[in-house]
Structures are given as structure tokens and as C-alpha cells.
Amino acid sequence: MASEIHMPGPECLIKNINGRLLVNPEALKILSAIRQPVVVVAIVGPYRTGKSYLMNKLAGKNKGFPLGSTVQSHTKGIWMWCVPHPKKPNRTLVLLDTEGLGDVEKGDNQNDSWIFALAILLSSTFVYNSMGTINQQAMDQLHYVTELTDRIRAKSSPDVDGVEDSADFVSFFPDFIWTLRDFSLDLEADGQSITADEYLENSLKLKKGTSPKDKTFNLPRLCIRKFFPKKKCFIFDRPTHRKKLGQLEELCDDELDSEFVQQAVVFCSYIFSNSKTKTLSGGIKVDGPRLGTLVQTYVNAINSGDLPCMENAVLALAEIENSAAVQKAIVHYDQQMGQKLQLPTETLQELLDLHRATEKETIEVFMRSSFKDIDQLFQKKLAAQLDKKRDDFCDQNRKASSDRCSALLKDIFSPLEEDVKQGIYSKSGGYRLFIEKMQELKKKYLQEPRKGIQAEEILQEYLKSKESVTDAILQTDQTLSEKEKLIEVERVRAESAQAAAKMQEEMQIKNQQMMEQKEKSYQEHVKQLTEKMERDRAQLLEEQVRTLALKLQEQSRLLKEGFQEEQRRLQNEIQNLQKMMKEPSIVLVLPYINMNPPRVYTCSPSCTDLLSMWLKFLKAMKNYFQSGNKLYFTELYIPDFLNYFTKKIMFYFI
């Protein structure tokens, strides 16, 4: 579907009107139609440095993002251009061009800081574009990176171990690319040729010392090194003579400097091959609608005076996605049941087996589409809807069976009823003929297929409605003695009692089947929930391993450069991360048979967290019992200190 997106040119995504950021609904509409995962490349840098030209090249065009030819900045806010990915047909490339930083006409750097922060939050590859070399002036212009700790939050609440919130930046920040325009130096160091990446690495080296000047020198370099998981550099010669720069849109490649043309080709090729799909914590791949939700969430936070928070953005996204996941799962259930179910079913178990198989698939559909379902609120909504649909199908099944059986009885017994009206059996020996005919017709009725679960009950109701007719025929039969009539009455009563007992037994079997179905439904919810939590834990561990490797790499570099204080600060982050990786989470699952899905509480194994979770559980139980509910449990996995309370609580260590 994303390949069908046709944007002839860029569209403003976030407007900057008098210092206030506004999301463009038309741009969100475009994003909502992109169902493929997106690769998001954002470019930021001082105004009039040629950012838009590079973005046009990435779009495969000469024109698109306005270049301008004067000292006045042309791009305002953040502009978006969605194009088919040149090398990945199952991805859409989203290009974000931002207004120039440091535009003197704005007179307020705060707006620049928000543009800078939004570009980082929205992108999977962040390009910083500047003129000339990487010197202290260039670093001073990049002061926005040092302000990110005041502009972005990773978590909604502070870390209990005192680790700075920015310690998590590297886990979700984009890759960093520094593009140097009109670069005129030879790439050499100590008389040896070096690559552009080595030039960047050398430029990010720290200066020893504790003076304010040294700290000012080191801070932006430290931020780039610690925040961004991958750093790369590209250099560009001047594309053409200064007087022709204003005509870049009109110039062909053979009219530009050949070195510049080749450098642009290499840059674009790298972006196309190496820029990653925009991914959130938990391995959540971002598509067009999700990107639109992130844009709205971040801009709303900024306009309300809050800081954009990654955790809150993911939860806001989860709220939307999980609601849609419930609907998607229910649509699947309805489609499958509509195709496979034929009412009435011969037995209740036949219906329940089909429901259970379809329910399993439905939960799988939900689990694949949902994430961050806090307290399983949406899984609970799904379970409630599935329970209602099961009960509705049971009601429909009963009605369909009743209608079918009533029609059969009318068709089969109507000739007999007509004979009774004609008085054919109101004669000597008529009773026995009547009973024989009744038995014959009952047998015929019982042999009819697909009567459903109400077959016996509807038959007995019909026979009971004809008891007065049967008794009248019995009493008018002169061939039977009074004793024989009494015996016959007792026989009929015994048959009726036997039929009632059979119906009662069938009712108990049906109730037992329903109870077993609810238990199996619960078990399926627990099974799939546990499997999903284990997958999520594995994904989290994979992300933590990747983050740990980056931190260890930076720590090694700091040690090599002799910066002990920074190394110790980073060591604290590393130890905290390693602790999180080693400690299993404890997941408390409360298996209510009459409350699907199970309630789940999660915590780390510290005493404080266990106590907090336990108090939360007790509060839930109090509210649950006060509502007049009963509680049923099924399995036992429980620490000794909880044995006094109940023996049916499940603890999963994942």
C-alpha cells in the first residue's frame, strides 16, 4: 500500500507559526495511508547550508524542498516527503527537512531547540549539516545537543537508582551523520591520510582539564559520543561556483563539480543501504499511522509545557494500537465463526470446540498486534467480548435447535393430531393403536439429523402438551380394565420422570462443558500471555545487550583517553544496566475462572517491589470481593512467605 503513496512534492508536517508548533492534518492524512514500516531520515543544521539540496537528492529529484538563493531561510517548521524506498520495496522512505537553526529573524533559540529535539525523536537517521570543518565554532553551533537532557525524557518517572534519564538515550536515539559542506581541507592527521569517519572521531576527542572552558569544550562531544548509537561523517566539496549556487535546481550533474556529484552519490547510497527502519522500544516497527501518532504526541507535549517523553509516547501509541488490535481480533473471530459454524450443532461440545479453536486464533491475532498492554486492560476487553459472543452463539444455537425441532414435530405429528380430531382413536383398542403410532413417530423424529441440543427438551415439551389427549383416549378405551388403565398411567408417569431425569443429567453435562470451556479459555489466555511476555523479555534483553555494548565501547575509549571521572559515571550506568539484565521480573498471574483474562502484576525481585506488588494485589482482591464476586484458582507456584494467604497464585520468573 505504501508503494502507492504519490507525493509529487513535500508537505509541511509541523508548522512553526509565531514560535508555536502546529501539526498539519493533511500531512497526517498522508501518513495514515502508509501501512509499511518507514525509514525516517531527518536533516538539521544552520540555515543556508544546503540541507534541502541533499534531501531532494535522497528523493531522487532536483526540485522539491525549496533551496532558496538568498541569506533568508526558506524552510519553516518541519517538512515531509514520503517516497518509495529505492532499495527496500517493503519500506517507505520518509524525508524530514527542518528550518535552519540560528536564523537571526527568529531571535529565539528555544524554537530551534524543539525543532532539533523533534528531528531526533522522529528519525531513525539524523543528519547534521554544517559548512566547513569541525572546529570549535562548529561545536558551539551544535550546542542544541547539550540541551537534549532538558528537552527529552526517556522515562516518565526518575530512576530509583539515581541514574540520569539521559543514560537511556542511546537505546532509542537515531544514528548520527555529520555532513560537512564546502569542505576544503585535506583529510590527514600526523602526516597520514584518514577517512571522514576518522576525522569525526578525532574531532570528538575530549580535552583534559576541569576549567569551565574545558567543560564547555567537552560537553557537546560527550553528548554526541554517549547519546547516538552510531556516528558517521561525509564531506562535500563546493558544488559549483558561488555565483551559480542559487541555480542548483536548474543545473545538471555535468554542470556541477564532479567530486561533489560523486560524494552526493556515495552519501545517498549509504542512506539507502544503511538507514534503519524507525523502531521503538520493544522492537515496535513504526509505520505511517504510528509516525503520525508520535508527531501529535510530541507536539502536544511541547505545546502543553511538558517535555516529549519516549515512554509516554509509546504508551499513547499502545492505547490506539491495542484498541485496534481488539477490533481486528474480533473481526477475525466473526469471519471464522461465520464461515465454519452451522446452526444448530448436534451437541454443545461441537459448538464449544469450534469456539475454542477460533478463540485461540483470535487471541493470537490480538497478541501479534498489541503491545504495552498495561494490566492487560485490552486483553480483558477482548476476553469479555469473546465470552459474550460465545454466550450469544449458545443462545442462537438453542433457538435454532428449538425452531428446527418444533418444525419437525409439527411436520411429523400433524397427521396424528388430525386423526385424533377425527376420533379415529376414540374407540375400543384405540389407545394401544395411539401409543404404537406415537412410538413410531417418536422414532422417526429421533432419526432426523441435525436437530441440535434442544431435541429431547422440545420433544418432552410436546409430549407433555399432549398428556390430556393421551389420557382422554386411555379413558375412553373400553377394552382396558381400570387396573390396566392405572398401570398405564403409572407407566406414562415413570417415562415422564425418566425423561426429566435424563434432561437434568444432560443439563449438568452442559454446565460442566461450559465450566471446562471457561477454564480452557483462561488457560489459553495465560499461555499466550506468558509466551508474549517471554518474547518481550527476550526483545528487551536484546536491546539491553546492544545498549551495553555501546556503553562498554565508550567506556573503553574514555579509559584509553584517561578520563577517569567520566568513565566512573558511565560505569554506574553500566552496572545499573547489567543489574537489570541479570534480575528476572516476577509476574503474578491471578487466574480467575470467572474473570478472563487473568490479572497480571509485574515487578523486579527486590523486597520493596514485591511488597508494592503484593499490596496492589490485596487492594484488587478487596475491591473484587466487595463487588460480590467469587474467586476460583487453578495452579500453584508460590513463595513460602505467601503460603498463609492462598495456595493458588502463579508466579512466573521471566
Side-chain angles (χ1 to χ4, degrees):
M1 186 171 182
S3 60
E4 299 174 1
I5 297 300
H6 178 66
M7 288 185 67
E11 181 82 33
C12 186
L13 175 62
I14 301 174
K15 300 177 181 179
N16 181 8
I17 302 176
N18 298 324
R20 182 173 176 82
L21 302 176
L22 298 173
V23 180
N24 180 11
E26 291 302 315
L28 293 182
K29 186 177 179 180
I30 293 171
L31 286 175
S32 68
I34 302 175
R35 295 295 172 177
Q36 288 182 332
V38 293
V39 176
V40 187
V41 180
I43 192 165
V44 172
Y47 77 108
R48 307 306 312 124
T49 55
K51 301 185 303 298
S52 299
Y53 178 85
L54 284 182
M55 299 306 272
N56 287 339
K57 282 297 180 184
L58 289 174
K61 307 289 183 180
N62 283 336
K63 297 181 179 181
F65 292 110
L67 304 187
S69 58
T70 68
V71 296
Q72 186 178 34
S73 174
H74 273 233
T75 305
K76 296 294 183 182
I78 297 180
W79 285 68
M80 172 188 78
W81 200 351
C82 304
V83 297
H85 199 290
K87 292 189 177 181
K88 301 173 183 177
N90 60 341
R91 296 288 186 270
T92 294
L93 181 62
V94 178
L95 304 172
L96 300 180
D97 190 15
T98 63
E99 66 180 68
L101 305 176
D103 185 355
V104 293
E105 292 183 7
K106 288 185 290 189
D108 182 8
N109 283 336
Q110 176 166 299
N111 200 253
D112 287 345
S113 296
W114 286 127
I115 294 292
F116 191 92
L118 283 170
I120 285 177
L121 287 168
L122 296 174
S123 66
S124 51
T125 296
F126 177 85
V127 181
Y128 182 73
N129 188 76
S130 67
M131 301 293 288
T133 62
I134 302 178
N135 52 26
Q136 192 53 40
Q137 181 182 359
M139 282 293 176
D140 290 341
Q141 288 180 325
L142 193 49
H143 65 88
Y144 305 100
V145 76
T146 68
E147 300 169 3
L148 289 175
T149 55
D150 298 322
R151 301 291 175 185
I152 296 174
R153 301 293 298 172
K155 298 176 181 177
S156 57
S157 56
D159 194 292
V160 293
D161 294 319
V163 176
E164 293 181 1
D165 185 77
S166 61
D168 289 326
F169 283 3
V170 71
S171 66
F172 65 87
F173 265 34
D175 292 339
F176 178 88
I177 295 178
W178 197 328
T179 52
L180 297 167
R181 311 296 292 276
D182 295 0
F183 189 83
S184 57
L185 298 180
D186 292 329
L187 284 176
E188 291 183 357
D190 300 327
Q192 300 291 323
S193 295
I194 59 173
T195 65
D197 291 343
E198 289 170 333
Y199 173 68
L200 174 60
E201 185 176 345
N202 290 338
S203 301
L204 294 179
K205 287 182 178 178
L206 307 182
K207 181 187 292 186
K208 290 186 178 180
T210 58
S211 68
K213 186 177 180 180
D214 293 330
K215 290 181 178 179
T216 300
F217 179 92
N218 288 336
L219 185 56
R221 292 168 170 82
L222 267 175
C223 289
I224 294 173
R225 287 167 57 160
K226 289 176 62 177
F227 294 168
F228 297 96
K230 189 175 183 180
K231 279 79 69 177
K232 191 162 182 66
C233 182
F234 288 92
I235 62 170
F236 295 86
D237 291 357
R238 175 171 288 192
T240 187
H241 190 274
R242 186 179 65 84
K243 292 183 178 180
K244 291 186 176 181
L245 289 177
Q247 306 169 21
L248 276 181
E249 291 181 347
E250 312 300 332
L251 298 178
C252 299
D253 284 351
D254 57 5
E255 298 178 84
L256 300 175
D257 181 85
S258 59
E259 282 291 322
F260 173 82
V261 171
Q262 181 58 30
Q263 289 161 348
V265 168
V266 172
F267 168 76
C268 291
S269 178
Y270 177 86
I271 293 292
F272 297 150
S273 299
N274 295 279
S275 288
K276 297 175 292 188
T277 299
K278 176 65 177 175
T279 306
L280 303 177
S281 174
I284 304 162
K285 286 182 169 52
V286 176
D287 57 12
R290 288 175 176 176
L291 183 61
T293 300
L294 292 176
V295 171
Q296 286 183 300
T297 302
Y298 292 141
V299 171
N300 288 344
I302 293 170
N303 288 336
S304 65
D306 294 330
L307 297 184
C309 174
M310 173 58 70
E311 183 179 44
N312 288 344
V314 172
L315 291 178
L317 184 60
E319 187 87 9
I320 297 170
E321 296 275 326
N322 292 341
S323 180
V326 172
Q327 296 308 311
K328 182 179 180 181
I330 290 299
V331 167
H332 176 84
Y333 178 89
D334 289 341
Q335 288 176 342
Q336 293 300 307
M337 291 296 284
Q339 292 171 7
K340 298 176 181 178
L341 180 60
Q342 288 187 339
L343 298 178
T345 59
E346 203 63 55
T347 64
L348 174 62
Q349 194 62 53
E350 181 184 339
L351 171 60
L352 295 180
D353 287 345
L354 178 58
H355 165 79
R356 185 165 66 251
T358 308
E359 180 184 51
K360 181 177 182 294
E361 295 176 4
T362 301
I363 299 173
E364 289 172 352
V365 170
F366 171 78
M367 290 296 182
R368 284 196 299 269
S369 303
S370 66
F371 60 93
K372 303 287 184 183
D373 186 10
I374 305 300
D375 291 335
Q376 285 64 55
L377 293 179
F378 289 93
Q379 190 182 358
K380 184 178 180 181
K381 290 179 180 179
L382 173 65
Q385 291 190 45
L386 289 174
D387 285 349
K388 185 178 186 304
K389 286 185 175 293
R390 178 201 62 216
D391 293 343
D392 288 345
F393 275 123
C394 287
D395 291 342
Q396 293 173 33
N397 196 33
R398 280 191 293 270
K399 186 178 186 306
S401 177
S402 297
D403 292 347
R404 161 88 170 141
C405 293
S406 296
L408 275 175
L409 289 170
K410 182 178 180 181
D411 183 59
I412 292 172
F413 282 86
S414 57
L416 176 62
E417 293 179 4
E418 187 62 32
D419 289 345
V420 170
K421 289 179 182 178
Q422 297 298 325
I424 292 176
Y425 299 103
S426 301
K427 62 182 181 180
S428 297
Y431 178 75
R432 196 154 313 273
L433 293 174
F434 176 78
I435 293 299
E436 288 175 356
K437 190 63 175 178
M438 285 284 287
Q439 294 298 329
E440 176 189 334
L441 296 180
K442 280 173 59 178
K443 184 177 180 181
K444 182 179 179 181
Y445 167 81
L446 295 173
Q447 289 175 342
E448 287 287 336
R450 301 207 63 83
K451 295 185 295 298
I453 62 175
Q454 295 294 99
E456 186 65 28
E457 183 175 337
I458 298 301
L459 175 61
Q460 293 306 317
E461 287 178 1
Y462 176 80
L463 295 178
K464 190 171 183 63
S465 70
K466 301 302 178 184
E467 284 181 356
S468 59
V469 175
T470 302
D471 188 62
I473 294 174
L474 174 63
Q475 298 304 324
T476 58
D477 193 336
Q478 300 300 318
T479 61
L480 296 175
S481 65
E482 290 300 319
K483 183 177 180 180
E484 287 175 322
K485 290 179 180 179
L486 288 174
I487 292 173
E488 190 61 25
V489 169
E490 290 301 320
R491 184 190 66 77
V492 172
R493 286 178 181 172
E495 278 188 2
S496 180
Q498 185 179 10
K502 182 180 178 182
M503 287 173 54
Q504 183 65 28
E505 182 181 352
E506 288 182 355
M507 183 61 68
Q508 291 176 350
I509 292 173
K510 290 176 184 177
N511 289 338
Q512 181 64 29
Q513 289 173 338
M514 288 296 292
M515 289 296 292
E516 290 175 358
Q517 158 59 34
K518 292 178 180 179
E519 172 64 12
K520 289 174 181 176
S521 175
Y522 156 71
Q523 294 291 350
E524 187 60 40
H525 275 283
V526 169
K527 176 177 175 292
Q528 294 202 34
L529 177 60
T530 306
E531 290 173 352
K532 182 175 178 60
M533 295 177 84
E534 289 171 350
R535 290 194 299 270
D536 290 347
R537 172 63 181 169
Q539 176 67 41
L540 175 61
L541 186 60
E542 182 181 325
E543 293 173 6
Q544 290 172 332
V545 168
R546 187 164 55 247
T547 301
L548 179 62
L550 292 169
K551 289 182 180 292
L552 288 171
Q553 182 181 0
E554 177 60 21
Q555 183 188 40
S556 175
R557 188 176 176 187
L558 288 170
L559 280 170
K560 186 177 179 180
E561 295 175 5
F563 290 90
Q564 297 297 328
E565 182 179 348
E566 288 299 330
Q567 183 275 140
R568 282 193 295 270
R569 188 177 293 115
L570 189 56
Q571 178 63 22
N572 185 33
E573 296 178 12
I574 290 171
Q575 288 176 343
N576 184 64
L577 182 57
Q578 289 173 329
K579 179 182 176 183
M580 292 169 60
M581 293 169 66
K582 289 178 181 178
E583 290 183 346
S585 296
I586 298 180
V587 181
L588 171 60
V589 183
L590 306 181
Y592 310 163
I593 287 180
N594 54 337
M595 279 189 68
N596 269 336
R599 189 72 57 84
V600 174
Y601 300 100
T602 307
C603 73
S604 65
S606 70
C607 292
T608 303
D609 288 341
L610 272 175
L611 180 59
S612 175
M613 181 178 72
W614 188 238
L615 291 174
K616 188 176 179 182
F617 159 64
L618 291 177
K619 183 178 179 181
M621 289 297 91
K622 179 182 177 183
N623 294 338
Y624 182 67
F625 286 123
Q626 284 179 344
S627 300
N629 296 304
K630 293 183 179 180
L631 193 60
Y632 302 92
F633 297 100
T634 58
E635 297 189 26
L636 164 63
Y637 295 99
I638 186 166
D640 290 337
F641 81 96
L642 296 178
N643 274 335
Y644 74 93
F645 184 78
T646 177
K647 297 189 180 297
K648 301 295 181 181
I649 296 176
M650 302 168 63
F651 277 84
Y652 290 98
F653 290 81
I654 62 173

